[in-house]
Amino acid sequence: MNRITSSYLLLLRSVPRNIYRANILHPFISRLYTETTAELSKAQLQKLRGQEQRFKRRLHSIHRKFANVPENSEFQGHHHVYFEDGKGIYRSTLGLGEQEMVEVFRADWGGDGYGSIQRVRLSPTENMLAATVKKDHNEETRCMLVHLGGVNLHQNAMLVLDNVLSFEWAADDVLFYSTQETLRCLRVFRLHLSDSGVQTTLVYEEKDPEFFVEVSRSRDQRLVTINCSSKISSEVWLIDSKTPLSFPTLIQSRQPGLLYHVEHSDNHLFILANTGAHLEYQLLRAPLASPSMPHWVPVFSAVPGTVIKDMELLQDHCVFTVKDSQCRLQIQTLTTKEPYQLNTLQLPHWACDLSPQRVGTVDRGSFGFLLSSPVHPPVHYLYSSRKQKLSITEEDTRHISLPEFNTTRLQAASQDGTMVPLTLLHMPALSELYNAPLLLHVYGAYGVDLNMSFSPERRLLLEDGWALAYCHVRGGGERGLAWHRAGSVLQKRRGVEDLAACIQTLHHLGVSHPALTALTSRSAGAVLAGALCNHNPQLLRAVILQVPFLDVLGTMQDPSLPLTVEERGEWGDPLIREHRDNIASYCPCHNIIPQLYPPILVTAYSEDSRVPLSGVMKYVERLKKAIQMCTTRVDVNARVPAVILDIQPGGDHFGPGDFHLSLNESARQLAFLYTELGLDHQKTRRQKTKRQKKAQKP
């Protein structure tokens, strides 16, 4: 259900949003992005073309190798099982064994250019289906409603709604949905499919521009909730599905500093609120009839040293996903009736990411989820509340016996003494990594955890002998709400210090060295990466920045941009002198100095609206000038580091949805890494073959 990682947290500078100001930026870009810079970047990219083609072939191969790993693409209704492949939705009847899948929905029903499915919901009795589809190469979405009743399915959408972000069924004929305009989601509508026609009613409108509104549903389908969230507070309204045409009821009015999320079972609300020790999440309970805060009764708080990351509410159990101080995942279960009983289930040591399975129209008293790591493909696990144990499906056992690799949990002492968790993935032993190339990953913003789901590209690097490090710096969410607060607003520089400490700790332990160390980050994570390059460029040999947010000061000073107001809780408000001075002290674009920077590959999209392209251009131009000043003034004979700006068409902040375009981008980045680190592409493949043969010997 992902109650904690709400849409508000995800829909910032980290996941797709609708296009805004797409055509306004182009004239300015053309002036700022000089012909010299464009021609130089094009020439530098052309030099990588041969390597890029070789890596593209290898990436095709490794994607084929893992083509059949489990995906979160199946869900069940009362009578059918559904399968979604990104372009279409198909179903078969439950309990009839093998049978032909029947198509019930296609993404291209949305019209020309709509190519990928984003979100799917079945109505309570499986009579209706609603799905949002995204337009290719940008983030415009459209919601379509399909009637599933009768023998012959209507092969078309019965209703199309534009700019819908979130939606839930309260009944077969009542749908609640939120709309998004200029990157702001402030309104919720009720759609009633009555005999007299379609009736649309505005049921909620948010007046505070710092808040973001989304619609969700309790796992038991009893409640539809309207969740209003800012960076420092939240407010939830509920609609009882027994009376879906009634107006929403407020649970608890917003208060500064109070964050909460709501689930339901047996006429009680189960509330995750940051009312625990150190303002972390704890579980509370309240009667549905008396939902306000005076009636909240504490039920469970995380064990010291762990934090609650998510919760699923089954028929008689709460299932918590928690992380310990070294970011190891655990499952904890709690009975929902007194006397409460807590049980802890250990997960495999390699597990770095847990993705809950989709819930259909029937809660079957079990919790399915996929476990993976950046180099370990997903494995499907199932927790049964009746048996109170985890099980794994037989077809997934083949992915347990992959070539051996190591998951090492480390900690780095930051400048102020804080211990920063660090996850290291590698094949050779820790003591044999000095000459191994090292790729670091960092994000550290919005209280969002670093993405550690499976990536065939990362698996390729691991098999080539790379060490992969994931730095869980302050500002992210790995260690809870306090961890985020410790790296936001006036404390944002802590994340930069944490990143430097992680790199220095690895080098001190003999894991690679600066000449073989590269750093990659995307979106808001580029703030830390860019700041590190300004202050400690000697730690790195190459940097990859994807859709990078680099001009924090310039962006946050422009209130006309749609994200500026919402994100003051993350970066600060430049109208406050203390905040402005703090942003100016670390902003990557405003702290460039004449020195030798590591080679940098910047990938951006011409119509990306969440990260203004003008800021990326400004950064690249200033960086090139600073490097030129350094090399001219000092008369150094060293190779001038490459600064490559790769501007791709489109406005999808998450990159191209097309598989081949995505593969091209990944291949280009791998070619850049191998070139700048001076690695022999063929030699690494020969070394991989030797390791495999050695592992096969008895």
Side-chain angles (χ1 to χ4, degrees), residues 35 98 156 162 192-193 227 245 260 271 334 400 418 683:
E35 290 185 7
E98 289 191 16
N156 216 329
D162 287 328
H192 184 203
L193 305 171
N227 308 302
L245 299 182
Y260 70 98
I271 304 156
L334 183 76
I400 300 296
T418 299
K683 183 179 178 181

Side-chain angles (χ1 to χ4, degrees), residues 23 55 81 179 187 191 245 262 332 402 431 508 567 618:
N23 297 319
F55 275 112
V81 59
T179 57
R187 296 180 181 88
L191 183 76
L245 299 182
V262 176
Q332 292 185 339
L402 288 167
S431 59
H508 179 73
E567 299 202 356
K618 187 193 301 184

Side-chain angles (χ1 to χ4, degrees), residues 428-493:
L430 192 65
S431 59
E432 299 173 4
L433 291 177
Y434 180 73
N435 289 316
L438 171 65
L439 181 61
L440 300 135
H441 304 72
V442 70
Y443 187 69
Y446 305 120
V448 175
D449 292 15
L450 190 58
N451 181 12
M452 297 192 70
S453 59
F454 178 61
S455 165
E457 290 80 4
R458 296 300 179 256
R459 181 74 200 185
L460 183 150
L461 290 176
L462 182 82
E463 293 182 2
D464 272 4
W466 285 68
L468 307 174
Y470 291 78
C471 308
H472 309 295
V473 303
R474 283 174 283 186
E478 289 88 342
R479 296 292 302 117
L481 298 173
W483 196 249
H484 171 226
R485 291 192 298 270
S488 62
V489 194
L490 295 176
Q491 305 299 320
K492 183 57 72 173
R493 288 183 61 89

Side-chain angles (χ1 to χ4, degrees), residues 107-343:
D108 58 13
W109 290 352
D112 292 339
Y114 285 88
S116 59
I117 298 170
Q118 300 296 295
R119 180 171 179 161
V120 181
R121 292 292 186 269
L122 288 172
S123 66
T125 65
E126 204 180 337
N127 192 47
M128 298 288 298
L129 179 145
T132 45
V133 294
K134 186 180 73 66
K135 206 165 189 177
D136 293 333
H137 308 303
N138 68 39
E139 295 154 14
E140 182 179 325
T141 58
R142 179 170 281 178
C143 181
M144 292 182 286
L145 277 61
V146 177
H147 186 258
L148 298 176
V151 178
N152 297 317
L153 296 173
H154 295 291
Q155 295 299 306
N156 216 329
M158 62 175 290
L159 191 63
V160 177
L161 306 169
D162 287 328
N163 301 318
V164 171
L165 179 69
S166 61
F167 56 94
E168 296 290 353
W169 293 100
D172 282 333
D173 58 354
V174 179
L175 180 79
F176 288 86
Y177 64 93
S178 64
T179 57
Q180 185 172 242
E181 299 175 12
T182 61
L183 305 187
R184 292 189 173 97
C185 194
L186 302 174
R187 296 180 181 88
V188 174
F189 295 87
R190 180 183 64 224
L191 183 76
H192 184 203
L193 305 171
S194 66
D195 293 336
S196 59
V198 177
Q199 300 173 6
T200 303
T201 306
L202 177 66
V203 296
Y204 182 85
E205 183 169 14
E206 178 59 55
K207 302 299 184 183
D208 190 334
E210 293 194 22
F211 277 73
F212 183 90
V213 180
E214 54 130 2
V215 178
S216 63
R217 183 177 62 177
S218 61
R219 185 183 175 102
D220 67 357
Q221 300 191 66
R222 173 70 182 274
L223 303 179
V224 170
T225 58
I226 298 173
N227 308 302
C228 315
S229 305
S230 75
K231 298 303 295 179
I232 61 170
S233 67
S234 59
E235 179 178 276
V236 181
W237 298 71
L238 64 85
I239 300 104
D240 194 327
S241 62
K242 291 183 176 181
T243 55
L245 299 182
S246 62
F247 275 83
T249 299
L250 177 62
I251 293 178
Q252 170 60 46
S253 60
R254 62 191 66 173
Q255 297 178 11
L258 175 64
L259 301 170
Y260 70 98
H261 313 266
V262 176
E263 256 290 1
H264 174 269
S265 178
D266 194 23
N267 289 317
H268 279 81
L269 297 180
F270 287 82
I271 304 156
L272 275 175
N274 65 331
T275 51
H278 309 295
L279 300 181
E280 294 292 347
Y281 282 115
Q282 67 173 166
L283 180 67
L284 305 103
R285 179 173 169 166
L288 179 60
S290 304
S292 60
M293 196 171 180
H295 302 282
W296 295 3
V297 177
V299 173
F300 170 75
S301 295
V303 176
T306 67
V307 292
I308 298 173
K309 297 302 302 174
D310 207 350
M311 179 188 79
E312 291 284 340
L313 188 58
L314 307 184
Q315 292 170 344
D316 52 5
H317 278 75
C318 283
V319 181
F320 298 98
T321 303
V322 302
K323 281 188 177 180
D324 67 11
S325 60
Q326 292 191 311
C327 292
R328 282 185 292 250
L329 283 168
Q330 293 179 354
I331 291 289
Q332 292 185 339
T333 66
L334 183 76
T335 54
T336 56
K337 292 184 173 140
E338 297 184 83
Y340 302 118
Q341 295 181 347
L342 181 68
N343 185 30

